[in-house]
Amino acid sequence: MLVGQSDDPASDTRVVNSPGAASTPRVADRPDTDGPGPVSPATQAYSAVDPTRSSEDSVAPQSGAGPRVNRMALWALALSILGITFIVGLVLGYRARTQIRQRRELGLPFATAAIWVGWAYLGVFVFGLLVYGWILFIA
């Protein structure tokens, strides 16, 4: 139950009755006193701001200064560069690019490079198969 506010306008402190003091009247309500007097000792002062919750509680914890790099983009680039796993790198590059756009993460250049390297390896692989087939069957 709200009894009154403190006199300091810069303070967010309000005086509130404690649960056990609901039946105890204020000093100003007693018949033996004249006018508004001090607040009875049964009341306590509480801050208007909940001390257990700060404004930082609603913000997700961050391990660094900015957004993090998408790990899938890094894996996509590594697997694309390896050569033998370029197909996996190509697929992961496209998936990482989608995730980066949805989550607003860093790593778009890595995903783009993984896609380019993956397509380059695929082009070299198809060209190699065509040359091998031409040598084997035509020549």
Side-chain angles (χ1 to χ4, degrees), residues 46-54 57:
Y46 290 100
S47 175
V49 179
D50 187 7
T52 60
R53 262 191 80 134
S54 67
D57 287 343

Side-chain angles (χ1 to χ4, degrees), residues 1-3 15-22 24 26 39-40 42-44 46:
M1 169 187 257
L2 184 64
V3 175
V15 179
V16 179
N17 280 342
S18 64
T24 306
R26 292 186 315 163
V39 179
S40 74
T43 59
Q44 297 176 349
Y46 290 100

Side-chain angles (χ1 to χ4, degrees), residues 56-109:
E56 296 177 2
D57 287 343
S58 61
V59 178
Q62 295 181 353
S63 60
R68 64 185 188 109
V69 176
N70 188 306
R71 289 186 180 181
M72 189 181 295
L74 297 174
W75 277 107
L77 183 59
L79 292 173
S80 288
I81 290 174
L82 283 178
I84 193 140
T85 56
F86 72 89
I87 294 176
V88 177
L90 187 62
V91 171
L92 287 180
Y94 279 110
R95 292 185 69 198
R97 191 170 66 174
T98 303
Q99 281 184 357
I100 289 168
R101 288 181 180 161
Q102 288 175 350
R103 299 177 186 172
R104 297 180 187 238
E105 294 176 325
L106 298 176
L108 189 60

